[in-house]
Each structure stands twice: as structure tokens, then as C-alpha cells.
Amino acid sequence: MVDTLRKVGIAGTGHYVPERIVPNKWFEDTLDTTDEWIFDRTGMRERRFAEKGQPCSDLCIKAGKKALDDAGMKPEELQLIIVATVTPDHLLPATIAFVQDGLGAINAGGWDVNNACTGWLSALMSAQGMIAAGIIDNAMVIGAEVLSSMMNFKDRGSAILFGDGAGATILKADHPRGQILCSSSGMDGRQWKAISRQAGGSKQPVTHEDLETGDHLMALHGNDVFKFAVAKFRDLIREQVATLGIGLDDIGLIVPHQVNLRIIQSALKKLDFDMDRIFVNLQKYSNTSAASIPIAFDEARAEGRVKEGELISFIAFGAGLGWGQAVIRW
Ligand SMILES: CC(C)(COP(=O)(O)OP(=O)(O)OC[C@H]1O[C@@H](n2cnc3c(N)ncnc32)[C@H](O)[C@@H]1OP(=O)(O)O)[C@@H](O)C(=O)NCCC(=O)NCCS
């Protein structure tokens, strides 16, 4: 432990998406929907699906290796790995077990975080706190999902929205770049039914009946989430500006959870924030839940959208209903 809190920066990023591209048209064969409807209402054009039997840990390992390369680190240097996912390889043990082994991160401990679309930010905050306090010097934070394994392909209101992928981020003590300036999280558990997967846990172990009704798959009330997300998006940006004592113009780029282009546009309309300063890649990957921000951030860097010295805002919300935010300086 240290007496004063240390600064925590981002030393590396990487992402991986499965090769299989699933365009909107793919759903037209089985659902009462169209490519045009999906694109108009969401901005999504396609998503990636993992191969049958390709587990979440496989995506994590591939993204993690790229982040290690980017940071110039060897796997054995890692002290902590946190995997944020709602689609673990197994319910027991945690997916980190397979990731730690697959990466050869023999000196790392770790655990999984189950907080859906806010998961990567939740994991980031946990690692940030431990590094700042001097408990550890570095951590890999991964957001990864194989959502295709729990989607209800009979439900046009949800099946069209999601994709698979993984994004990894390496945090280091006193790293000068990407220092985390603020972060926070919140939850309104009264709204848990808005996004849920009800069968399969201790409250409702899966029965034959659940397999018929689809209760073992994801269910969502998209309309309720839409309204919540628009309002929460604005609240979180205002919180960032107030916490840091800055103006909206001081934010160089917002990398939001890739939920739905209309949600992002609606939120920004009232804020008077320019769409040019938002990074959006949901047209390619749809909503990858915990993976969405770390994938988007890595792509934003690769495309030169993350400029040295600028403030980068991360905003997420999802099942719970929960939310989180962080601002870094690149
Ligand atoms: C799901 C979502 C795309 C629906 O878009 P929307 O504009 O809100 O559409 P609505 O739910 O009001 O539905 C409008 C109509 O389209 C229909 N519809 C829903 N999905 C459809 C689809 N895939 N294709 C065609 N029609 C569809 C609805 O049944 C409804 O028909 P009705 O008017 O006859 O009842 C949008 O609400 C959304 O993105 N919500 C958030 C998603 C979410 O929760 N993500 C995970 C958490 S981060």
C-alpha cells in the first residue's frame, strides 16, 4: 500500500472480433424484420458471431495478446486480470481461469465481473482503485461477450441488436498516457427486469419448461431501456463535466457504449455536442455489451481519433439497470 494515491494510465489496448460476419439480411429468413428496419432504428448493419463452440475465453486471449504487444509487456508481468462478461465459458470456474492459462500469465490473479454493458467500466474502476492504492502495479481489464450464445433468435425485438467480440486494456501505475481523471458507477436495481436472463441462476435453475418458453435466454424491454439510456447518457456527460470543472468543448472524443445510434443521437441533441466528436462502430459490430467500449476505443486509436493530450470520455449503461463513466487524458 502507498500513502498517497498513484496515478493510473492506459499502457496498451487490443481487440478481437470473430471472423463470421452476420448482416441484417440474415435475420430476414427467420424473423419478421428487414435490413432497412434494423438500420433505420439502430444504425446497425452487421455483427460478428463466434463459431459454434468458440468460448468467451478464446476471444479474451486473442484481444489480450494484442494489448500485451501494444504495451510491450510479457504475459508473466501481469499481476491481475479482470474479465467483464455475462457470457462466461462456464458458470464455474470464472472465465479468468482459462484466460490466465491461455495467456500464460502465470503471476496474475483475477476474477470475472458480471455487469453487462457497464462491465468493462466496472472492471476498470476496480483495477484503477487497486493500482492507485499500491496493492498492484498493473492489470489487464477485458470486456468480452459471446452474446450469440444467449440470444433469443425468435425475438425480433432483441436478436437483431447484439454481436460477439472482446476488447482488452492494460492499466499501469504512474503510466503517463491515458491517465484516469474520474470514474463512477451507479445502479437502479428496481429496473432489473428491463434486461434479464431469468433461468439458469440460483433463483430459477433451468427447467424443461424454460427451454420451451425461452426463459433461459436474454429478454429485454427495448423501449424502456431506450428512454433510460438517453437520459442517463446526458446525466453522465454532465457529471463528467461537473466533476472535472471543464466545459463540454474540452472533451475531445466520447467513446460511448455502442447501444443504438438513435440513442446516442437523441442524447447528444439536447447537449449540443457535435457528432464528429463521438466514436461509433456499431454499424459493424452491433452491441457487444461489455466488449463494446474497449473494442471501440482500440479502433478509435487505430483510426487516429484519439489525439495526444485530449480528454476521452467513456459512457456506459445496461442491465441492472446500471451505468458507469470514466474520463482519461491521452
Ligand atoms: C429495440 C429497439 C431497437 C426498438 O426500436 P424502437 O424504435 O424503440 O421500436 P419500438 O420498440 O417502439 O417498436 C416499434 C415497432 O417495431 C416493431 N419491431 C420491433 N423489433 C422489430 C424488428 N426487428 N423488425 C421489425 N419491426 C420490429 C415493434 O413490434 C413495434 O411494432 P408495433 O408498433 O406494431 O407494436 C430500441 O428500443 C432499442 O435499441 N432499445 C435499447 C436496446 C437495449 O436494451 N439494448 C441493450 C441494453 S444496452
Side-chain angles (χ1 to χ4, degrees):
M1 299 278 280
V2 291
D3 291 335
T4 50
L5 290 182
R6 300 188 296 182
K7 305 257 189 249
V8 182
I10 294 180
T13 61
H15 79 274
Y16 167 79
V17 288
E19 269 141 51
R20 184 177 164 209
I21 298 174
V22 178
N24 290 345
K25 269 204 162 308
W26 184 81
F27 294 98
E28 292 181 0
D29 289 344
T30 52
L31 291 173
D32 181 14
T33 191
T34 60
D35 175 24
E36 293 75 30
W37 191 97
I38 299 170
F39 181 67
D40 286 352
R41 300 290 181 121
T42 68
M44 296 164 185
R45 287 204 180 277
E46 59 193 34
R47 69 283 301 135
R48 303 297 180 98
F49 282 172
E51 293 305 325
K52 209 169 175 350
Q54 185 181 15
C56 181
S57 62
D58 185 66
L59 280 57
C60 292
I61 292 163
K62 290 185 162 90
K65 281 182 178 163
K66 290 182 187 172
L68 282 169
D69 281 350
D70 187 43
M73 283 174 73
K74 294 192 179 69
E76 52 270 29
E77 290 175 64
L78 282 177
Q79 295 178 333
L80 174 73
I81 303 171
I82 307 180
V83 175
T85 186
V86 291
T87 49
D89 287 19
H90 300 281
L91 292 182
L92 188 73
T95 301
I96 158 72
F98 308 101
V99 178
Q100 187 258 6
D101 183 37
L103 283 175
I106 49 172
N107 297 308
W111 51 83
D112 288 6
V113 161
N114 174 332
N115 205 17
C117 305
T118 318
W120 176 79
L121 273 168
S122 310
L124 186 90
M125 281 182 74
S126 314
Q128 174 200 357
M130 292 179 67
I131 295 171
I135 298 168
I136 50 170
D137 295 324
N138 69 55
M140 177 183 281
V141 174
I142 305 175
E145 304 287 6
V146 181
L147 293 168
S148 57
S149 67
M150 69 161 193
M151 282 152 57
N152 185 342
F153 287 103
K154 292 183 182 157
D155 174 23
R156 68 177 182 171
S158 62
I160 52 132
L161 295 172
F162 300 98
D164 303 337
T169 312
I170 294 177
L171 303 183
K172 264 189 175 177
D174 297 321
H175 190 77
R177 202 181 55 178
Q179 289 196 350
I180 302 171
L181 305 182
C182 70
S183 58
S184 70
S185 72
M187 180 70 70
D188 179 1
R190 292 169 302 178
Q191 300 193 61
W192 71 269
K193 279 193 178 160
I195 309 171
S196 65
R197 185 185 186 186
Q198 297 200 22
S202 57
K203 189 172 175 183
Q204 189 179 337
V206 180
T207 61
H208 287 292
E209 199 188 344
D210 293 327
L211 298 180
E212 296 292 323
T213 60
D215 257 14
H216 63 303
L217 302 169
M218 182 180 9
L220 92 123
H221 300 280
N223 236 257
D224 297 341
V225 180
F226 195 105
K227 289 177 213 135
F228 159 82
V230 169
K232 191 50 72 182
F233 196 121
R234 282 191 210 121
D235 291 349
L236 290 168
I237 296 284
R238 288 185 183 124
E239 180 187 330
Q240 293 179 331
V241 166
T243 305
L244 297 176
I246 57 171
L248 271 179
D249 288 347
D250 294 318
I251 298 178
L253 188 72
I254 300 178
V255 183
H257 173 43
Q258 305 290 310
V259 54
N260 177 329
L261 186 59
R262 280 171 51 233
I263 290 178
I264 297 171
Q265 287 168 333
S266 305
L268 293 178
K269 213 179 286 167
K270 279 200 188 154
L271 280 177
D272 198 19
F273 195 91
D274 194 351
M275 266 309 277
D276 289 353
R277 287 189 288 145
I278 306 285
F279 188 80
V280 174
N281 65 358
L282 57 82
Q283 65 282 6
K284 291 191 292 183
Y285 306 132
S286 299
N287 179 350
T288 56
S289 191
S292 108
I293 294 180
I295 293 176
F297 181 53
D298 190 43
E299 284 208 332
R301 280 190 63 204
E303 290 177 21
R305 298 281 304 275
V306 179
K307 306 252 165 49
E308 198 178 330
E310 281 193 348
L311 296 182
I312 313 296
S313 149
F314 301 124
I315 299 280
F317 30 75
L321 291 173
W323 56 91
Q325 63 81 20
V327 177
I328 61 165
R329 186 181 294 285
W330 197 248

